[in-house]
């Protein structure tokens, strides 16, 4: 059995580390090891920050890596939701509506992208990156007994990110990866249209 060489680049190894964390996070949550869960979750979030930086620093940006990163992000947030239910059920119950909105913000743009392009999109816009960082930070505040308003504000940012991703899918004629914003996509389309005239 041969593996694609992209699997062994530094950014993709960091992303794969995040994927490998998932069963251990679930195990730690199921066994009620709250501190160990939080430490491993921090490592998973750190890998999410570092994989993008590593891809840019090493020039190893690829469609494969972008898609792998998107799958890792979605899988991590599903794992966090399940784990939070086991570790902090009362918190999850009280914020269920916001958690559902965050999950929908990950699922809906991916579904719309798949319906249009028959492939999952992986835009990684600046708003998405900010939303992921805000959700990650607010979850820590949330899980250690802090206020819930940072999580709710982060949820609003997730909604904006999802709207932008859906808009990018609507205006695009082919799937993109690693785009900065809807504005950049529109500018690129306008430039191509002007060249075609």
């Amino acid at each position: 059995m041969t593996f694609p060489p992209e699997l062994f680049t530094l950014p993709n190894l960091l992303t794969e580390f995040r994927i490998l964390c998932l069963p251990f996070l679930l195990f730690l949550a199921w066994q009620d090891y709250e501190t160990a869960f939080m430490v491993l979750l921090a490592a998973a979030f750190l890998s999410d920050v570092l994989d993008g930086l590593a891809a840019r620093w090493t020039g190893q940006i690829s469609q494969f890596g972008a898609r792998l990163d998107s799958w890792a992000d979605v899988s991590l947030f599903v794992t966090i939701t399940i784990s939070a239910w086991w570790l902090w059920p009362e918190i999850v119950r009280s914020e269920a509506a916001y958690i559902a909105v965050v999950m929908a913000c990950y699922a809906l743009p991916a579904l719309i992208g798949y319906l249009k392009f028959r492939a999952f999109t992986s835009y990684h816009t600046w708003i998405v990156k900010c939303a992921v960082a805000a959700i990650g930070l607010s979850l820590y505040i949330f899980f250690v007994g802090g206020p819930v308003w940072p999580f709710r504000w982060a949820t609003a940012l997730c909604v904006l990110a999802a709207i932008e991703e859906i808009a990018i899918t609507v205006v695009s004629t082919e799937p993109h990866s690693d785009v900065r914003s809807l504005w950049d996509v529109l500018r690129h389309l306008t430039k191509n249209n002007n060249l075609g005239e």
Side-chain angles (χ1 to χ4, degrees):
M1 181 176 181
T2 59
F3 296 99
E6 296 96 337
L7 279 176
F8 303 104
T9 64
L10 177 60
N12 291 342
L13 287 170
L14 288 164
T15 304
E16 290 153 19
F17 168 77
R18 191 157 71 259
I19 294 168
L20 289 173
C21 286
L22 302 178
F24 295 101
L25 287 167
L26 288 169
F27 172 78
L28 292 170
W30 181 253
Q31 295 299 316
D32 205 27
Y33 294 128
E34 185 177 318
T35 303
F37 172 84
M38 296 295 278
V39 169
L40 185 57
L41 182 60
F45 278 135
L46 182 60
S47 77
D48 193 19
V49 172
L50 295 178
D51 63 4
L53 293 173
R56 283 186 288 281
W57 287 341
T58 61
Q60 293 175 323
I61 297 170
S62 68
Q63 187 85 13
F64 175 83
R67 288 194 176 136
L68 184 67
D69 186 57
S70 293
W71 278 107
D73 288 345
V74 171
S75 301
L76 180 62
F77 278 99
V78 170
T79 299
I80 291 169
T81 303
I82 294 166
S83 299
W85 178 256
W86 291 335
L87 288 167
W88 305 284
E90 56 289 333
I91 293 175
V92 173
R93 275 194 294 271
S94 70
E95 298 302 311
Y98 290 93
I99 292 168
V101 169
V102 170
M103 296 307 291
C105 286
Y106 278 96
L108 193 57
L111 178 63
I112 291 170
Y114 187 80
L115 290 173
K116 182 169 183 178
F117 300 120
R118 292 293 180 252
F120 288 106
T121 56
S122 50
Y123 299 131
H124 299 124
T125 64
W126 286 112
I127 297 178
V128 166
K129 290 176 182 179
C130 290
V132 169
I135 286 290
L137 183 60
S138 66
L139 284 174
Y140 268 86
I141 295 169
F142 192 29
F143 291 155
V144 298
V148 296
W149 65 263
F151 179 71
R152 292 177 180 179
W153 279 99
T155 300
L157 195 55
C158 283
V159 171
L160 289 176
I163 290 169
E164 182 182 45
E165 285 195 304
I166 291 167
I168 290 170
T169 296
V170 168
V171 302
S172 297
T173 55
E174 59 186 26
H176 302 279
S177 64
D178 291 323
V179 296
R180 292 181 181 166
S181 66
L182 173 61
W183 172 253
D184 280 349
V185 172
L186 291 173
R187 195 172 57 186
H188 180 72
L189 289 172
T190 303
K191 181 181 172 184
N192 285 348
N193 286 341
N194 289 339
L195 289 173
E197 289 176 357

